[in-house]
Amino acid sequence: RLTPSILTAGTGAPQVALESIDVRENGGIDEEEPHIRVEESDSSEDEVPSRNTIGDVPLKWYEDEEHIGYDISGKKIKKQPRKDRLDAFLADTDDSKNWRRIYDEYNDEEVELTKEETKIIQRLLRGKTPHGDANPYEPSVDWFDWEGKGHPLSNAPEPKRRFIPSKSEHKKVVSLVRRIRKGLIKICEQKEENDQSYLMWGDDSSLNDNAERGSSHFPPPKPKIPGHEMSYRPSVEFIPTQEEINSYDLMFEEDRPKFIPRRYEFLREVPADMNVKECFERCLDLYLCPRTRKKRLNIDPEALKPKLPSKKNLQPYPTTCFLEYKGHTGPVTSISIESSGQLIASGSIDGTVRIWEIESGRCLRDWRFEEPILHVAWNPISELPILAVAVGQDVVLLNASLGNAEDEEKVKDLLHVSAPVETDESSNKVSSVSWAQHGRHDGIKLKHFKAVSSVEWHRKGDYFTTVVPDDILGLKLFALYPSVGFLDFFTRDSRSILIHQLSKKLTQNPFKKLHGIAVSAVFHPSRLIFFVATRKNVRVYDLVKLTLIKKLETRLREVSSIAIHPAGDNVIVGSKDGKLCWFDMDLSSQPYKTVRAHSKDINRVAFHRSYPLFASCSNDCTAYVFHGMVYSDLDENPCIVALEILKGHESANGRGVLDCKFHPRQPWLFTAGADSIIKLFCH
């Protein structure tokens, strides 16, 4: 039993190349049968299209694929299931004509050979012509007429002299050898050249390097080929004007042109000292010019630029002013966005606190106080619509009355104080904070010992911290707003940062001693960590153990604001000198990147809760929007890209944009300016 194989030509018709075949006595090939003449057809209609459509490529490329091409409708042509040896054996025993079937590997199908094809194969195996009617011994036809035709070639054999060395050449070689031996012919020997050159302009340290690299010859600089301007009578366009000649005196000597074209009518008018002086200066340059070998680095300047993503791929981010909120009569010092993203609260120097509807710009509520508003902050719990307002020495917790009946009852219980509560946190028995019911507005008043500059809530909505500035900060506030008479409230005290608990009406002083003047304080967004920003550094404390975890060195002139990334591992710090620092707490206590964005003081920095955006606002009446992507892979540094500069506010008394906040859900930015206008920037 032998196995046949089949090949396929380019036309798709199978061509059989039989290695061996089984010849049977009954039903096999009968070599004595007369041969049938096969007529060839040139018609393309007789060609059978190939089932395989992969083209003329190796079949091993499709060994692991389930198809062998695509049909005219674009569907895959699936491969047929292959038979194993057991199935082939059973098919051979069941079917007596199974030996005629062979597998076409190219088209992935079985082909049954006809009797005529088996006869052709048998003749090929015996070394005969495929067709029986072909006569291999037909007489040859001499197509060339030899009679009377001359032929240039000769049938004579090659002469013997062509295979024997020439005797004349042998005699010439022998005579040359004898003359060389007698000394009549002398061979020129190459003289050894002693290179006594040395490096004229160079030190001994570079001799070894030059010796390794080869010749250290420095060719003198080639003089510039004289042009039309060197002529004694140049064209008018080559002659500089008097203004251009005067401008040459303002240039540096190395940038000043060495030759100024002049026009002479005759050659004899040209001064003789010009050519002499020029030749002397050239010789002086060649003699005294220190020429050294410099390694030039062929670096593409574009390759040195950092590869930053395109702004189109970083969208959305705020670009255009969409809405303005007008109603305050003084500079808007602080704004805060409600956690649901529907309301915004604002406080102004005019002593008013307003609540606006973001979509319509309508003012829903307002409160009036006798002192300027320095800071406002919404409670982060949406079920507790409580607004904290810093007014002079007081922190007032207001009931916004914007929830349902159940939330209103809960808020009233929290904002109710039956009797005034005073907390003594100092050793001299001086009350630092007193809790009392506000007599004019529905809420609680926390009376501090000095003016409060900022209020920040904890993420759970029960704790909040207040920052009481020291004398230096108080003097600055008084210098900015001299009409406000709270200068007497600023006295030196170590209790600059206090933490309050709303549910128990308690006040704590977590730090008995502060290293530096406190500027701002914020809670960690997810852990029990507290950030305290002083004028020079940012200190990170553990609220459970009350220990210092890390100290971030800003290297800035004076810190003005701080913001924490929603993940909690990155911090941005704004300064009074217009610089913005990004800290990666997992990387180092030094700034990862410092950006000089603004020309004046930075008043506030802010992170977006969900989008990779952060912003800064300054007294130069601009707000900068940045892309700040923080990756989960610790080996990859944060990507910081400047996106947009938002303008539109006007300066008032040297103040510009005083506060900026992001919308909690949308890529929108709110800015509060000294021009008493709040702007909403959208994408």
Side-chain angles (χ1 to χ4, degrees):
R1 180 71 177 173
L2 301 176
T3 306
S5 62
I6 187 166
L7 301 175
T8 305
T11 58
Q15 297 179 357
V16 180
L18 193 63
E19 299 175 358
S20 59
I21 192 168
D22 185 13
V23 182
R24 301 185 177 182
E25 295 180 357
N26 298 326
I29 299 175
D30 187 7
E31 63 182 40
E32 298 299 330
E33 294 182 6
H35 299 284
I36 301 175
R37 183 180 182 88
V38 179
E39 295 182 358
E40 298 181 357
S41 175
D42 295 336
S43 176
S44 61
E45 297 179 357
D46 298 337
E47 298 179 357
V48 179
S50 176
R51 183 172 178 267
N52 192 340
T53 60
I54 62 176
D56 189 11
V57 297
L59 296 177
K60 64 180 181 180
W61 292 0
Y62 283 79
E63 287 181 356
D64 300 333
E65 302 292 338
E66 298 180 354
H67 64 286
I68 55 173
Y70 299 87
D71 57 7
I72 194 172
S73 61
K75 298 181 180 180
K76 293 182 178 180
I77 303 176
K78 299 291 184 179
K79 290 183 179 180
Q80 296 183 0
R82 299 293 298 273
K83 293 182 179 180
D84 53 3
R85 293 186 178 181
L86 181 59
D87 294 339
F89 175 75
L90 294 176
D92 195 13
T93 56
D94 295 341
D95 190 1
S96 60
K97 296 184 179 180
N98 189 55
W99 65 275
R100 292 180 180 270
R101 297 192 183 118
I102 60 177
Y103 176 68
D104 185 0
E105 185 178 1
Y106 185 80
N107 293 318
D108 191 34
E109 60 183 0
E110 289 187 352
V111 181
E112 185 175 354
L113 300 177
T114 61
K115 290 184 178 181
E116 291 78 8
E117 292 173 345
T118 54
K119 292 176 183 178
I120 293 173
I121 294 172
Q122 184 63 25
R123 293 184 63 84
L124 291 174
L125 291 175
R126 294 190 177 185
K128 298 182 180 180
T129 58
H131 303 289
D133 56 349
N135 184 12
Y137 305 106
E138 291 183 356
S140 61
V141 178
D142 195 359
W143 302 98
F144 187 76
D145 187 10
W146 296 88
E147 296 181 0
K149 302 293 183 180
H151 203 276
L153 300 179
S154 174
N155 294 330
E158 293 288 339
K160 187 178 180 181
R161 63 178 179 272
R162 295 187 180 180
F163 303 96
I164 298 176
S166 176
K167 293 182 180 181
S168 60
E169 293 179 357
H170 178 68
K171 291 179 180 180
K172 291 180 181 180
V173 172
V174 170
S175 63
L176 291 174
V177 171
R178 288 176 181 176
R179 291 181 181 181
I180 292 173
R181 288 177 180 178
K182 292 180 180 180
L184 300 177
I185 299 177
K186 295 182 179 181
I187 301 176
C188 297
E189 297 180 358
Q190 295 181 356
K191 296 182 180 181
E192 296 182 359
E193 296 180 358
N194 295 328
D195 189 8
Q196 298 180 357
S197 60
Y198 59 92
L199 184 60
M200 185 173 182
W201 297 283
D203 51 358
D204 297 336
S205 60
S206 61
L207 291 178
N208 297 329
D209 299 338
N210 295 335
E212 294 177 359
R213 291 179 296 186
S215 176
S216 59
H217 172 65
F218 294 93
K222 296 181 179 180
K224 183 181 178 182
I225 300 176
H228 294 284
E229 67 277 1
M230 300 293 291
S231 174
Y232 74 94
R233 193 178 180 183
S235 301
V236 180
E237 59 267 15
F238 292 102
I239 300 176
T241 60
Q242 188 63 34
E243 296 179 357
E244 295 177 352
I245 295 175
N246 295 335
S247 63
Y248 294 158
D249 298 336
L250 303 177
M251 297 182 180
F252 293 101
E253 187 176 356
E254 57 270 12
D255 299 335
R256 197 175 301 164
K258 303 299 181 182
F259 176 77
I260 299 177
R262 294 182 62 184
R263 184 180 178 87
Y264 300 95
E265 294 297 332
F266 305 99
L267 183 59
R268 62 177 179 269
E269 295 180 1
V270 179
D273 59 339
M274 291 186 60
N275 295 331
V276 176
K277 184 178 180 181
E278 182 184 359
C279 294
F280 174 74
E281 289 180 351
R282 289 187 181 182
C283 295
L284 198 64
D285 291 341
L286 294 176
Y287 173 65
L288 298 177
C289 177
R291 299 196 298 271
T292 58
R293 185 186 297 273
K294 293 184 179 180
K295 295 181 180 179
R296 177 176 295 179
L297 300 177
N298 295 326
I299 300 176
D300 186 11
E302 297 296 332
L304 300 177
K305 296 181 181 179
K307 296 182 180 179
L308 299 177
S310 176
K311 289 186 178 181
K312 295 182 180 179
N313 301 331
L314 302 180
Q315 293 178 352
Y317 55 86
T319 57
T320 308
C321 181
F322 176 73
L323 194 61
E324 292 183 354
Y325 305 88
K326 297 181 179 180
H328 290 287
T329 58
V332 182
T333 56
S334 178
I335 55 176
S336 180
I337 316 300
E338 197 250 342
S339 58
S340 63
Q342 299 178 0
L343 304 175
I344 177 175
S346 62
S348 174
I349 294 296
D350 59 4
T352 60
V353 176
R354 296 176 181 268
I355 296 180
W356 312 80
E357 188 178 10
I358 292 179
E359 293 185 357
S360 62
R362 184 165 53 95
C363 182
L364 301 180
R365 292 201 60 179
D366 63 336
W367 294 270
R368 296 187 178 275
F369 296 89
E370 297 178 356
E371 298 183 67
I373 309 299
L374 297 182
H375 199 273
V376 294
W378 278 103
N379 192 302
I381 305 300
S382 59
E383 291 80 8
L384 300 176
I386 299 175
L387 183 63
V389 181
V391 186
Q393 287 184 320
D394 301 334
V395 174
V396 183
L397 303 180
L398 298 175
N399 183 6
S401 302
L402 299 174
N404 51 29
E406 183 179 356
D407 295 340
E408 285 293 326
E409 292 294 332
K410 189 175 181 179
V411 170
K412 288 182 180 180
D413 293 340
L414 285 175
L415 299 182
H416 177 70
V417 180
S418 58
V421 180
E422 296 185 359
T423 58
D424 296 334
E425 296 293 340
S426 60
S427 59
N428 55 7
K429 303 298 181 180
V430 177
S431 176
S432 60
V433 177
S434 62
W435 295 67
Q437 198 74 28
H438 200 282
R440 183 178 177 183
H441 303 291
D442 185 11
I444 300 176
K445 179 177 68 174
L446 281 74
K447 186 73 174 180
H448 289 68
F449 62 97
K450 288 191 296 184
V452 181
S453 62
S454 66
V455 181
E456 295 291 340
W457 286 91
H458 189 263
R459 69 181 187 279
K460 293 185 178 180
D462 190 20
Y463 291 89
F464 61 95
T465 179
T466 57
V467 178
V468 179
D470 283 334
D471 290 346
I472 296 178
L473 188 57
L475 290 174
K476 290 188 176 182
L477 291 175
F478 180 75
L480 292 174
Y481 310 108
S483 60
V484 182
F486 51 76
L487 180 61
D488 297 335
F489 296 138
F490 296 100
T491 58
R492 174 68 62 180
D493 201 298
S494 62
R495 297 165 296 174
S496 298
I497 297 177
L498 300 175
I499 297 179
H500 313 274
Q501 186 176 4
L502 178 60
S503 59
K504 296 183 180 181
K505 312 299 186 294
L506 293 178
T507 299
Q508 302 176 9
N509 183 10
F511 310 107
K512 300 301 180 182
K513 183 179 180 181
L514 286 176
H515 299 275
I517 301 175
V519 176
S520 178
V522 291
F523 292 96
H524 193 278
S526 59
R527 291 185 290 177
L528 295 175
I529 294 178
F530 195 61
F531 294 84
V532 178
T534 61
R535 294 182 63 191
K536 297 295 182 182
N537 304 310
V538 177
R539 295 176 177 267
V540 186
Y541 294 94
D542 187 351
L543 288 178
V544 178
K545 300 179 181 180
L546 295 179
T547 57
L548 180 65
I549 299 176
K550 185 175 288 189
K551 177 182 176 182
L552 305 179
E553 299 179 1
T554 60
R555 300 178 181 177
L556 300 174
R557 180 170 60 87
E558 184 179 348
V559 175
S560 61
S561 59
I562 182 176
I564 314 300
H565 191 270
D569 294 333
N570 294 270
V571 181
I572 54 174
V573 178
S575 68
K576 292 292 185 180
D577 52 356
K579 294 181 180 180
L580 180 72
C581 292
W582 178 293
F583 287 90
D584 190 347
M585 298 181 60
D586 295 334
L587 184 63
S588 172
S589 61
Q590 303 294 331
Y592 162 68
K593 185 169 289 188
T594 302
V595 181
R596 180 63 184 267
H598 299 276
S599 59
K600 294 185 179 181
D601 301 355
I602 293 179
N603 295 320
R604 193 76 62 185
V605 290
F607 269 112
H608 199 286
R609 293 184 184 179
S610 55
Y611 288 90
L613 299 172
F614 67 95
S616 64
C617 60
S618 172
N619 285 335
D620 58 1
C621 300
T622 60
Y624 280 63
V625 181
F626 298 88
H627 171 83
M629 174 61 74
V630 178
Y631 302 95
S632 58
D633 188 4
L634 297 179
D635 294 335
E636 194 166 359
N637 295 329
C639 178
I640 301 175
V641 182
L643 296 178
E644 194 73 21
I645 302 177
L646 305 179
K647 301 179 181 179
H649 288 279
E650 296 180 0
S651 178
N653 297 327
R655 304 282 282 172
V657 184
L658 303 181
D659 197 1
C660 63
K661 291 289 189 304
F662 278 103
H663 192 276
R665 298 178 183 178
Q666 299 293 336
W668 301 345
L669 182 67
F670 297 86
T671 58
D675 54 357
S676 68
I677 300 176
I678 304 171
K679 292 180 179 289
L680 168 59
F681 292 90
C682 300
H683 62 282

